[in-house]
Amino acid sequence: MTTASQTGKKPEAISRNKLLCIAGMGWAFDAMDVGLLAFLLTALKEDWGLTASQLGWIGSINSIGMAVGAFVFGIMADRKGRKPVFILTLLLFSLGCGLTALASSLMVVLVLRFFIGMGLGGELPVASTLVSESVETHERGRVVVLLESFWAVGWLIAALIAYFIIPDYGWRMAMLLSALPAVYALYLRSKLPEPTSSHILQKKTRLSIRQSMALIWSPQYRRATLMLWILWFCVVFSYYGIFLWLPSVAMLKGFSLIKSFQYVLIMTLAQLPGYFTAAWLIERYGRKFVLVTYLAGTAISAYYFSVADSTATLLIFGMLLSFFNLGAWGALYAYTPEQYPDEIRTTGAGTATAIGRIGGILGPLMVGYLVQYQFEISSIFLIFSFSIVIGILAVMLLGQETKNKPLNSI
């Protein structure tokens, strides 16, 4: 790959920034849909009178789709290239969002959420891999974390739509709005360049699916694969179990629908400094340091958020939860594609993400059923805190530091 430092040309930095903005804009729209899903669950509960377990299934079917999409499209991106898979997944996600606005029953919502999840699940590992392959080694981690920071922008947009649109115009209008910018992102991504490594891959003999899966579990990559599968499962299990239920938890603590949306909007603002501090630290102290530190902060904040007994403590620990958890996500997306060489990079990242989505299936379902059976919120969130601790141990014991290492030397 020709870098800016090799050519001495300033346009390389501009190209990197353009890539970051184009990919990040689509990333924000993806986050907006996930964020709106959290508010959609609360709105559907009031509109359709759904039970907690039914609401849990909506979140879980989304994660089932993400698991399938991450696995299928991750392998496809190693065979067909990053760019076409990127665009295909966005199209699938966009159409599903728009059609959700026409849904007339829970079953229709579940089917559409599966296809939306497929698009989301396939797009995210491919996006982070594409950006990771397109920037210089010394700034790779920081740029991928900055890409992930667009997730906070999407959540902020979702919170604003939930606060200003859903109460007056309903959740159907919110879903229509979530589809419009995704179509615009499809136009932008038609200008997205294919990374150099992907062009090289197309000239090589492509590995079969069986060969790719065998290679990520070969002695050379077995430890990294095991670490990523444990880490992704624990992080996604806790993230979707916690964040899809944030507005509902606020309501369970006695706040109104409007107030719960308002509080989540405030908590979401803390995501941006979480990303920016992680981006600053990741090239100074390494991936493992950021992951361990921010995941530990997440585990502690999650528990104290669940036992908050006043508005002030709810907001403080909700903001800390957002700060640490989303900073950890940025480091996770930077760390994952760095574990594998070009020919199996999106296969490795996609399968790890798919395993994580299994956790995303179980997390919301578990909360729904435990709430229905009147378990304490603090007990439920303690389970998520323990899950995060397991992820921390996986990074500490099995992970290798990849800071400043060229991708294909790992």
Side-chain angles (χ1 to χ4, degrees):
M1 183 188 301
T2 302
T3 65
S5 59
Q6 292 170 326
T7 63
K9 295 180 181 179
K10 191 175 181 180
E12 179 67 27
I14 297 173
S15 175
R16 178 207 65 194
N17 293 337
K18 181 179 179 182
L19 170 68
L20 182 61
C21 288
I22 291 175
M25 193 171 181
W27 199 283
F29 298 149
D30 297 343
M32 184 177 70
D33 174 73
V34 174
L36 279 175
L37 178 57
F39 299 107
L40 178 65
L41 295 180
T42 307
L44 285 179
K45 180 180 180 181
E46 294 205 341
D47 196 3
W48 289 358
L50 300 181
T51 66
S53 58
Q54 288 174 320
L55 295 175
W57 270 108
I58 295 176
S60 293
I61 201 72
N62 191 75
S63 291
I64 293 173
M66 292 182 83
V68 174
F71 180 76
V72 171
F73 292 120
I75 293 174
M76 186 183 296
D78 275 336
R79 296 173 61 80
K80 304 295 185 182
R82 311 329 187 199
K83 179 181 173 180
V85 174
F86 213 16
I87 294 173
L88 175 62
T89 54
L90 180 61
L91 181 61
L92 183 62
F93 150 77
S94 176
L95 291 175
C97 285
L99 291 173
T100 300
L102 306 177
S104 57
S105 68
L106 175 61
M107 183 56 66
V108 174
V109 170
L110 291 175
V111 171
L112 290 173
R113 288 312 312 182
F114 174 80
F115 287 105
I116 292 170
M118 276 193 70
L120 285 169
E123 180 182 352
L124 297 177
V126 174
S128 59
T129 299
L130 188 152
V131 173
S132 182
E133 291 174 337
S134 303
V135 297
E136 297 180 66
T137 299
H138 70 276
E139 61 179 2
R140 186 176 63 228
R142 181 174 65 253
V143 172
V144 176
V145 175
L146 290 175
L147 168 68
E148 171 69 4
S149 73
F150 281 85
W151 192 266
V153 176
W155 259 88
L156 281 171
I157 296 171
L160 289 170
I161 290 174
Y163 185 65
F164 290 107
I165 301 297
I166 292 179
D168 293 329
Y169 301 99
W171 59 269
R172 296 182 189 276
M173 179 59 69
M175 294 311 300
L176 280 175
L177 289 174
S178 74
L180 292 177
V183 175
Y184 180 57
L186 182 61
Y187 163 75
L188 288 178
R189 284 183 178 172
S190 67
K191 302 179 182 298
L192 204 61
E194 189 75 70
T196 304
S197 61
S198 190
H199 288 303
I200 295 172
L201 277 175
Q202 291 175 29
K203 296 177 182 179
K204 293 181 179 179
T205 302
R206 293 170 180 160
L207 299 175
S208 67
I209 295 174
R210 180 179 296 180
Q211 288 173 323
S212 297
M213 293 301 295
L215 189 51
I216 67 172
W217 280 106
S218 65
Q220 185 175 359
Y221 302 109
R222 184 180 302 151
R223 183 168 175 159
T225 299
L226 178 61
M227 181 270 298
L228 286 179
W229 283 26
I230 295 171
L231 179 61
W232 270 94
F233 180 89
C234 294
V235 170
V236 180
F237 171 75
S238 58
Y239 175 80
Y240 282 92
I242 293 171
F243 279 83
L244 287 184
W245 283 87
L246 278 185
S248 300
V249 168
M251 290 185 70
L252 287 170
K253 289 181 176 290
F255 300 105
S256 67
L257 178 67
I258 301 297
K259 279 292 184 184
S260 68
F261 286 0
Q262 181 182 355
Y263 292 158
V264 173
L265 172 59
I266 295 171
M267 295 173 201
T268 303
L269 289 171
Q271 293 182 11
L272 284 170
Y275 283 123
F276 296 149
T277 54
W280 185 80
L281 291 169
I282 199 166
E283 297 297 358
R284 285 163 175 79
Y285 300 104
R287 281 62 164 147
K288 292 180 67 173
F289 172 83
V290 173
L291 275 169
V292 170
T293 303
Y294 279 66
L295 285 175
T298 300
I300 295 169
S301 301
Y303 175 73
Y304 282 104
F305 173 79
S306 70
V307 298
D309 56 3
S310 68
T311 300
T313 53
L314 184 82
L315 289 177
I316 289 171
F317 287 106
M319 292 177 72
L320 287 173
L321 178 60
S322 292
F323 176 92
F324 285 114
N325 189 259
L326 277 300
W329 269 105
L332 179 60
Y333 271 108
Y335 193 48
T336 300
E338 294 177 340
Q339 307 299 315
Y340 302 104
D342 290 341
E343 60 267 25
I344 56 168
R345 184 165 298 121
T346 55
T347 297
T351 50
T353 306
I355 293 298
R357 301 309 170 189
I358 296 174
I361 296 165
L362 298 176
L365 266 182
M366 185 193 75
V367 177
Y369 280 103
L370 293 182
V371 167
Q372 189 167 314
Y373 287 106
Q374 301 182 332
F375 277 71
E376 292 289 334
I377 291 295
S378 58
S379 300
I380 298 172
F381 272 53
L382 194 59
I383 296 173
F384 294 130
S385 294
F386 280 129
S387 168
I388 293 168
V389 170
I390 294 172
I392 291 172
L393 291 174
V395 175
M396 293 176 65
L397 299 176
L398 299 173
Q400 64 166 322
E401 184 53 63
T402 54
K403 180 170 75 80
N404 289 334
K405 292 185 178 180
L407 285 176
N408 279 320
S409 70
I410 296 168

